[in-house]
Amino acid sequence: QVQLVESGGGLVQAGGSLRLSCAASGRTFSSYAMGWFRQAPGKEREFVAAISWSGGNTYYADSVKGRFTISRDNAKNTVYLQMNSLKPEDTAVYYCAQPRGSYLHVPHTIGEYDYWGQGTQVTVSS
């Protein structure tokens, strides 16, 4: 049973920062890539960032490059998303996700992920 639990969301003013966490359990965390996605009101879920199993490779959506940083601590079975210079358009429910299998590249599409957390709300006020 794979379980992913996000935390760290909240309300922040534009230009501020938040750090999201996702705790994983149920299988060997360090063997899999991890990703972050988000879904804003009235919009479809979109990719935000992903990191390889080793943490050596990352991939970001153009909309967050230079502002967000994904990282992981395999000893703690946790993946993080540091969000800086937040904008109102970053407002969304943020989900962490894990693919079913392993990839030679960093997976960065919804279809490549199979396990999802419950989400954590991030609201950025202007």
Side-chain angles (χ1 to χ4, degrees):
Q1 190 87 357
V2 175
Q3 294 183 337
L4 304 174
V5 181
E6 304 96 333
S7 62
L11 175 65
V12 64
Q13 293 188 43
S17 299
L18 283 174
R19 182 178 174 85
L20 305 183
S21 298
C22 175
S25 63
R27 63 177 182 171
T28 306
F29 173 79
S30 61
S31 297
Y32 302 92
M34 294 292 295
W36 284 97
F37 295 78
R38 67 187 182 187
Q39 187 165 15
K43 296 186 177 181
E44 298 298 317
R45 189 187 307 166
E46 66 175 349
F47 171 78
V48 176
I51 187 168
S52 64
W53 68 269
S54 67
N57 294 289
T58 58
Y59 194 97
Y60 297 93
D62 289 341
S63 60
V64 306
K65 285 181 179 177
R67 299 189 299 120
F68 291 10
T69 302
I70 187 171
S71 62
R72 66 191 298 161
D73 186 338
N74 288 343
K76 296 182 178 180
N77 294 333
T78 302
V79 63
Y80 305 94
L81 184 68
Q82 178 66 48
M83 305 185 294
N84 299 324
S85 301
L86 284 163
K87 306 174 181 179
E89 51 263 45
D90 293 319
T91 295
V93 175
Y94 283 71
Y95 300 89
C96 68
Q98 185 181 86
R100 184 185 303 275
S102 60
Y103 293 83
L104 295 179
H105 67 284
V106 181
H108 58 277
T109 65
I110 294 175
E112 292 175 299
Y113 288 83
D114 302 282
Y115 304 103
W116 300 83
Q118 84 289 348
T120 185
Q121 177 70 48
V122 172
T123 302
V124 184
S125 62
S126 61

